């Protein structure tokens, strides 16, 4: 996803050095956060340990419809929601977290550094190049495909980490089922031809899952930096796990608000391709990561994406004279190229892309 710039010191190294002043290349104007939980609170949806239209023995139609309606409303009105009782064991989540945290403690992690024009591996400084005006971000990351396993770049896979491969295998299988469940619900809400329509529109068995493990070290001047600049996600859906340290924020009604930390919850967000498929009904909104002075933060974002050669466009069932297509179809590879060329500085997300070029919009 982002390009590694090896000429600069890792953020983890800067933080460990004990600096008291943030280097100027990280300093930017950061919009303030709106703190009013009574006005803004990201929806929390109880999946009751996973549910499906096929599980009639466990769920009556009323229960399914009630949970599905909550998901659909959140996708339309927020673009973000949290799910609890999602059916993924706490023990598996703990294994994923421990194995991943160990990566950032590896003395040999630079062996997995990503390369120019290739985001896979250990990286930093998203969207940055020396000749640009973009500011750097206070965070390092690890990025790779996780499902299906044959998509992984094993040259950048830390096989020496105990339980890394096994826990990622199990977590990937669980998330794949969860992504398909969410797309089933949204297909029904859109009244598409079948409950598998959205899943098929993003490749079905060919769709891929990629993980980005973000490490945000403590920062001596957290109000002057961001861990991750404002952006929307270019993929279909994202499911995020975090370590219960606040830091994820979304832009709602023009204000930046915190996504509250809920033990055991996973954060789901609508991404650009889902907004396109729904012809704008579901919203892919801006979000960002902020950092802290006295503690680090780690998050695990898993992106569900179509094959890069797949053309994604609004579903035909949603188009008529009263509802013309808001987006043009484009191969996902072409969309990604446009997206990251603009950079993750708020200029690459779908809403501004609609205004700035004809790739995704007919308007």
């Amino acid at each position: 996803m982002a390009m590694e710039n090896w000429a600069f010191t890792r953020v983890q190294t800067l933080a460990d050095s004990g600096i008291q002043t943030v280097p100027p290349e990280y300093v930017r104007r950061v919009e303030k956060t709106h703190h009013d939980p009574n006005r803004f609170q990201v929806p929390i949806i109880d999946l009751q340990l996973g549910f499906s239209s096929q599980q009639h023995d466990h769920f009556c139609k009323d229960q399914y419809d009630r949970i599905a309606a909550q998901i659909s409303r959140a996708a339309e009105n927020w673009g973000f929601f949290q799910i609890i009782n999602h059916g993924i064991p706490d023990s598996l989540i703990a294994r994923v977290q421990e194995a991943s945290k160990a990566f950032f403690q590896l003395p040999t992690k630079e062996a997995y550094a990503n390369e120019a024009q290739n985001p896979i591996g250990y990286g930093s400084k998203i969207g940055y190049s020396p000749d640009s005006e973009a500011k750097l971000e206070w965070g390092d990351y690890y990025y790779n495909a996780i499902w299906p396993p044959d998509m992984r770049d094993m040259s950048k896979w830390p096989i020496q980490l105990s339980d890394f491969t096994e826990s990622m295998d199990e977590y990937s299988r669980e998330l794949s089922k969860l992504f398909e469940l969410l797309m089933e619900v949204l297909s029904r809400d859109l009244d598409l031809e079948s409950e598998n329509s959205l899943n098929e529109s993003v490749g079905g068995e060919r769709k891929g899952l990629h993980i980005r493990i973000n490490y945000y070290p403590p920062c001596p001047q957290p109000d002057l930096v961001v861990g991750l600049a404002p952006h929307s996600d270019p993929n279909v859906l994202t499911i995020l796990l975090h370590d219960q340290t606040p830091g994820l924020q979304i832009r709602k009604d023009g204000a930046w608000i915190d996504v509250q930390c809920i033990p055991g919850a996973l954060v789901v967000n609508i991404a650009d391709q889902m907004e396109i498929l729904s012809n704008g009904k579901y919203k892919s909104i801006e979000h960002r990561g902020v950092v802290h002075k006295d503690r680090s933060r780690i998050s695990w974002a898993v992106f569900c994406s179509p094959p890069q050669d797949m053309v994604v466009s609004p579903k035909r069932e949603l188009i008529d004279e009263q509802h013309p297509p808001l987006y043009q179809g484009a191969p996902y590879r072409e969309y990604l190229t446009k997206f990251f060329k603009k950079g993750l500085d708020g200029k690459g997300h779908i809403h501004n892309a609609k205004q700035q070029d004809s790739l995704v919009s007919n308007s």
Side-chain angles (χ1 to χ4, degrees):
M1 302 193 68
M3 299 302 112
E4 163 63 14
N5 194 315
W6 53 267
F8 294 89
T9 305
R10 299 291 184 194
V11 177
Q12 184 176 3
T13 302
L14 282 175
D16 290 346
S17 73
I19 61 170
Q20 298 300 308
T21 302
V22 171
E25 57 265 33
Y26 293 88
V27 176
R28 67 175 74 205
R29 185 181 69 84
V30 180
E31 293 182 69
K32 292 184 177 180
T33 305
H34 182 88
H35 298 287
D36 185 359
N38 294 321
R39 181 185 174 193
F40 292 120
Q41 189 172 57
V42 173
I44 302 168
I45 301 171
D46 187 348
L47 294 192
Q48 300 183 20
L49 297 180
F51 77 110
S52 166
S53 60
Q54 307 301 318
Q55 293 178 326
H56 298 299
D57 292 343
H58 303 287
F59 272 83
C60 69
K61 184 177 185 301
D62 287 347
Q63 287 176 300
Y64 178 91
D65 289 347
R66 177 175 53 80
I67 297 173
Q70 292 176 27
I71 293 171
S72 301
R73 285 197 302 270
E76 183 173 357
N77 298 326
W78 282 81
F80 265 78
F81 53 95
Q82 302 204 59
I83 52 176
I84 58 174
N85 294 321
H86 39 68
I88 301 179
D90 291 343
S91 58
L92 174 56
I93 288 176
R95 287 170 55 203
V96 169
Q97 291 177 318
E98 288 306 309
S100 304
K101 289 176 182 177
F103 175 82
F104 293 99
Q105 303 306 316
L106 278 178
T108 58
K109 56 184 175 290
E110 285 296 338
Y112 303 98
N114 57 17
E115 301 163 0
Q117 307 306 313
N118 186 349
I120 302 297
Y122 175 47
S124 312
K125 292 105 184 169
I126 297 173
Y128 179 80
S129 63
D131 58 351
S132 79
E133 296 180 359
K135 292 293 187 176
L136 303 186
E137 298 167 330
W138 196 263
D140 303 324
Y141 66 89
Y142 174 81
Y143 178 76
N144 211 325
I146 56 172
W147 195 261
D150 60 10
M151 287 180 59
R152 298 169 183 169
D153 183 341
M154 297 306 295
S155 71
K156 304 295 185 181
W157 191 267
I159 56 175
Q160 79 271 39
L161 286 178
S162 175
D163 201 34
F164 189 87
T165 300
E166 292 79 5
S167 63
M168 285 297 174
D169 283 347
E170 294 181 39
Y171 191 53
S172 301
R173 283 192 289 268
E174 294 289 344
L175 285 184
S176 184
K177 292 186 290 186
L178 190 51
F179 278 121
E180 290 182 5
L181 172 61
L182 293 169
M183 286 189 280
E184 170 195 306
V185 168
L186 298 177
S187 292
R188 285 170 166 255
D189 180 59
L190 293 171
D191 198 23
L192 300 180
E193 185 176 0
S194 79
E195 64 185 28
N196 295 320
S197 286
L198 287 174
N199 187 42
E200 292 169 356
S201 294
V202 299
E205 294 299 317
R206 295 177 60 219
K207 68 180 179 296
L209 305 186
H210 292 74
I211 194 166
R212 181 183 157 119
I213 307 168
N214 301 296
Y215 177 65
Y216 304 111
C219 178
Q221 297 172 295
D223 293 339
L224 300 181
V225 307
V226 293
L228 192 58
H231 67 285
S232 66
D233 293 343
N235 47 290
V236 180
L237 290 169
T238 302
I239 294 179
L240 181 129
L241 166 70
H242 58 86
D243 63 358
Q244 296 301 304
T245 300
L248 174 61
Q249 297 183 338
I250 67 172
R251 190 190 292 275
K252 176 66 172 173
D253 297 340
W256 285 106
I257 65 170
D258 293 309
V259 176
Q260 62 271 38
C261 292
I262 306 295
L266 296 172
V267 181
V268 179
N269 67 272
I270 301 297
D272 290 358
Q273 304 309 303
M274 184 61 76
E275 179 171 328
I276 292 170
L277 286 163
S278 71
N279 203 34
K281 178 176 181 179
Y282 304 138
K283 302 300 188 291
S284 176
I285 67 170
E286 281 189 292
H287 48 287
R288 68 181 184 183
V290 297
V291 300
H292 302 275
K293 184 171 184 177
D294 299 317
R295 53 179 167 167
S296 63
R297 176 175 175 260
I298 300 182
S299 66
W300 295 257
V302 176
F303 310 101
C304 177
S305 303
Q308 293 207 3
D309 61 354
M310 177 160 278
V311 175
V312 178
S313 58
K315 295 295 293 181
R316 57 179 174 78
E317 299 98 314
L318 306 178
I319 304 304
D320 56 31
E321 290 185 1
Q322 288 73 41
H323 304 90
L326 300 178
Y327 315 90
Q328 294 178 359
Y332 185 53
R333 177 184 292 107
E334 185 178 344
Y335 187 91
L336 285 177
T337 299
K338 285 274 188 175
F339 185 97
F340 289 108
K341 186 176 181 180
K342 294 177 187 300
L344 291 183
D345 61 353
K347 297 178 182 178
H349 68 87
I350 188 172
H351 308 292
N352 284 329
K354 286 190 292 187
Q355 299 166 10
Q356 294 174 11
D357 59 60
S358 61
L359 173 63
V360 294
S361 177
N362 288 320
S363 59

